[in-house]
Amino acid sequence: MNEDNDMNEDIDIRRQARRNIVARRIFTAIVAIWVIASLAMVLIWTLTTPDGYFWPIWPILGWAVAVIVAAIAVFGGRLFAIRDARVESEMARLSGTPNRQS
C-alpha cells in the first residue's frame, strides 16, 4: 500500500514538474513577443515621426506590467498559490458531483 502512495506522489511531482516547464516556456514566449512587438513599435515610430512624441513608451510600459505579473505568477510562488480547498472545489465542479464547499 505504501508503494502505491509513493507511486502516486511521483506521478504528482512529475505532473507539477511538467506544468512548471510549460509555464516557463509560455513565459519565455510572452517575453519574446513583447520584445519583438516593442522593437516593431519603436521602428514604426523611428520611420514615421523620429522627432515626434515617443508614443511607443505607453504600450511598451503597459505590456511590461503584464509581463511582470506573469513573471510573478510563474516564478513568484506564494503570491498566486492555489489552496487545496479551491482545487477540491474545481474537481467537484468538473466531475459534476455536489460541492461541499462554496
Side-chain angles (χ1 to χ4, degrees):
M1 198 59 130
N2 194 13
E3 212 172 286
D4 288 339
N5 288 340
D6 289 343
M7 194 162 63
N8 286 338
E9 189 174 316
D10 288 346
I11 291 170
D12 289 344
I13 290 170
R14 183 176 185 79
R15 284 182 184 151
Q16 185 59 48
R18 290 181 65 78
R19 278 190 223 112
N20 290 349
I21 292 167
V22 169
R24 288 183 183 116
R25 285 188 180 174
I26 291 170
F27 176 75
T28 301
I30 289 169
V31 170
I33 293 167
W34 172 57
V35 168
I36 291 167
S38 297
L39 291 173
M41 286 183 281
V42 171
L43 179 64
I44 291 167
W45 172 80
T46 302
L47 295 175
T48 58
T49 54
D51 297 330
Y53 179 73
F54 187 65
W55 58 265
I57 192 68
W58 299 113
I60 290 170
L61 288 177
W63 202 336
V65 170
V67 169
I68 290 167
V69 170
I72 292 169
V74 172
F75 302 107
R78 290 282 201 215
L79 187 60
F80 291 101
I82 300 170
R83 293 187 175 91
D84 288 339
R86 181 66 183 112
V87 172
E88 296 291 331
S89 175
E90 183 65 10
M91 288 172 61
R93 185 188 72 78
L94 291 172
S95 68
T97 59
N99 190 357
R100 296 184 309 249
Q101 305 159 357
S102 293

